[in-house]
């Protein structure tokens, strides 16, 4: 079964064709990053308009890449939340038109769940249940217990900034471009000294995160308010180390406490090589991490998730609404 997956929740117009929830036939991503970089972050209205312009050419390229036309597609899937309302509407309405025009089943996909399903795409080793899903993106830092397909319980989350958001804000403080994650990672790799240690937040709930104190600490250091002024490279490295350490420490604790058999790392921040490496080193169970291009937003993860939703008979009606704040757990 070939599913066309459409992702427009934020600033990527992405469409893919995936066979049987696992095999990527095409995966086209049109990024708006350069347009939003001018403003230092994603401008929702601009994002919606860009999606409307990009959807048709991205769709045509995705079909061409898969070597088929709409006759070769068995279902249409689109992200319906969480995300920017106008951006979600662009993709969801495009999906509805295709589904209606070709009388194909429509699947409404949760963006966070889709990130997790990147773990099944072209995977050498598939996640085994119970699994711990770490969804670490620009909008979320969620620790989720997944007992089977479609069954989730959130164990922890951020109490303030998401990890990706913290990377983006610290990048701005260090005078780096948007998006901040890759820029901070690159700068951190150039650090020569690593004696600087930034504080980790202490929280009552065992699997929650907090990154805003860390960001404030970086701000004070950048302004020279703490005496000794570290280099930008050193700051980037110490910040990255603190975020990675928090994420991995809580994830490993949750994995042990809940006796999971695998961990799936997903979301844009999962593209970070230090996070990938550290989690692999410290995890008591196998860690499934999709390649970086499948960690950031893409249509293949939407199509993969939709295949499993369809196995459970989860077909959406054509009047399904977008739900910008929809959450897992
Ligand atoms: O999942 P995603 O593409 O979009 C959301 O659903 O939010 O995640 C985007 C986030 C951004 O905050 C970006 O800075 C971060 O992922 N990111 C990274 C890296 N690549 C992307 N953070 C750290 N290191 C990276 N290499
Ligand atoms: Zn995302």
């Amino acid at each position: 079964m070939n599913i066309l997956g459409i992702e427009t929740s934020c600033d990527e117009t992405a469409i893919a064709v995936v066979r049987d929830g696992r095999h990527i036939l095409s995966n086209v991503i049109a990024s708006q990053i350069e347009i939003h970089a001018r403003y230092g972050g994603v401008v929702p209205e601009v994002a919606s308009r860009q999606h409307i312009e990009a959807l048709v050419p991205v769709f045509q390229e995705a079909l061409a890449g898969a070597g088929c036309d709409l006759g070769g597609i068995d279902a249409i899937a689109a992200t319906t939340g969480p995300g920017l309302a106008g951006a979600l509407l662009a993709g969801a309405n495009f999906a509805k038109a295709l589904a209606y025009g070709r009388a194909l089943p429509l699947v409404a996909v949760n963006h966070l769940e889709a990130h997790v399903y990147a773990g099944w795409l072209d995977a050498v080793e598939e996640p085994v249940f119970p699994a711990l899903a770490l969804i670490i993106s620009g909008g979320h830092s969620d620790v989720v217990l997944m007992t089977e397909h479609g069954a989730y319980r959130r164990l922890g989350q951020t109490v303030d900034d998401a990890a990706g958001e913290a990377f983006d804000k610290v990048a701005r403080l260090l005078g780096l471009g948007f998006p901040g994650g890759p820029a901070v990672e690159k700068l951190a790799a150039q650090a020569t000294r690593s004696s600087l240690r930034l504080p980790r937040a202490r929280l009552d709930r065992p699997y929650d995160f907090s990154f805003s104190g860390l960001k404030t600490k970086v701000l004070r250091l950048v302004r020279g308010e703490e005496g000794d002024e570290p280099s930008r490279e050193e700051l980037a490295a110490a910040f990255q180390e603190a975020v990675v350490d928090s994420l991995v420490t809580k994830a490993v604790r949750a994995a042990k406490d809940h006796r999971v058999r695998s961990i799936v790392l997903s979301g844009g921040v999962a593209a970070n090589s230090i996070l990938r490496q550290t989690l692999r080193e410290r995890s008591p169970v196998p860690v499934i991490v999709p390649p970086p291009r499948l960690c950031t937003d893409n249509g293949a993860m939407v199509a993969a998730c939709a295949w499993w939703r369809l196995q459970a008979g989860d077909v959406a009606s054509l009047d399904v609404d977008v739900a910008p704040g929809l959450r897992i757990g």
Side-chain angles (χ1 to χ4, degrees), residues 13-291:
T13 313
I15 302 187
V17 179
V18 174
R19 176 167 296 161
D20 298 337
R22 292 184 172 91
H23 312 294
I24 301 176
L25 304 186
S26 67
N27 189 24
V28 181
I29 303 167
S31 173
Q32 307 174 4
I33 279 176
E34 280 175 25
I35 295 156
H36 297 290
R38 255 181 266 163
Y39 308 101
V42 177
V43 183
E45 180 61 22
V46 173
S48 315
R49 286 163 190 260
Q50 290 296 322
H51 286 311
I52 289 165
E53 277 186 24
L55 272 163
V56 169
V58 169
F59 164 69
Q60 287 168 335
E61 202 182 322
L63 283 184
C68 68
D69 57 17
L70 263 179
I73 300 296
D74 303 297
I76 308 288
T79 303
T80 50
L84 304 169
L88 290 167
L89 279 168
N93 284 336
F94 190 75
K96 286 179 188 182
L98 292 175
Y100 178 68
R102 304 293 287 203
L104 291 171
L106 174 71
V107 189
V109 170
N110 177 301
H111 182 75
L112 302 180
E113 199 178 347
H115 268 304
V116 176
Y117 275 94
W120 273 264
L121 282 168
D122 290 339
V124 180
E125 185 179 14
E126 287 198 358
V128 184
F129 298 127
L132 191 75
L134 304 174
I135 308 162
I136 319 291
S137 71
H140 294 268
S141 303
D142 290 339
V143 179
V144 176
L145 181 66
M146 189 174 179
T147 46
E148 57 182 293
H149 289 290
Y152 310 94
R153 181 153 67 90
R154 190 196 281 108
L155 303 175
Q157 60 191 311
T158 179
V159 299
D160 41 55
D161 293 347
E165 193 181 352
F167 266 98
D168 293 336
K169 287 178 176 172
V170 163
R172 217 171 299 156
L173 293 177
L174 296 175
L176 300 168
F178 171 83
V184 170
E185 180 175 4
K186 217 167 140 197
L187 188 65
Q190 294 162 22
T192 45
R193 198 162 62 99
S194 60
S195 55
L196 179 65
R197 191 185 147 86
L198 297 178
R200 276 68 164 156
R202 282 179 214 282
L203 297 163
D204 291 338
R205 287 169 49 89
Y207 318 120
D208 278 354
F209 308 106
S210 166
F211 298 113
S212 80
L214 187 58
K215 176 194 66 197
T216 309
K217 181 81 178 172
V218 174
L219 174 67
R220 290 180 57 79
L221 285 160
V222 167
R223 286 184 177 161
E225 291 172 6
E226 307 243 332
D228 183 29
E229 221 174 297
S231 69
R232 288 164 70 246
E233 289 80 3
E234 215 182 332
L235 268 173
F239 164 77
Q240 178 174 260
E241 191 201 340
V243 173
V244 167
D245 186 37
S246 297
L247 292 171
V248 173
T249 301
K250 306 264 164 109
V252 168
R253 185 184 297 162
K256 286 180 180 160
D257 291 353
H258 291 83
R259 297 167 194 241
V260 301
R261 295 173 63 205
S262 61
I263 296 181
V264 191
L265 177 61
S266 63
V269 182
N272 185 283
S273 58
I274 305 296
L275 174 59
R276 300 160 77 88
Q277 183 190 326
T278 311
L279 184 62
R280 282 204 176 103
E281 281 165 10
R282 288 169 50 186
S283 171
V285 291
V287 178
I288 289 92
V289 199

Side-chain angles (χ1 to χ4, degrees), residues 294-306:
L294 295 177
C295 289
T296 46
D297 292 350
N298 64 85
M301 66 185 195
V302 176
C305 181

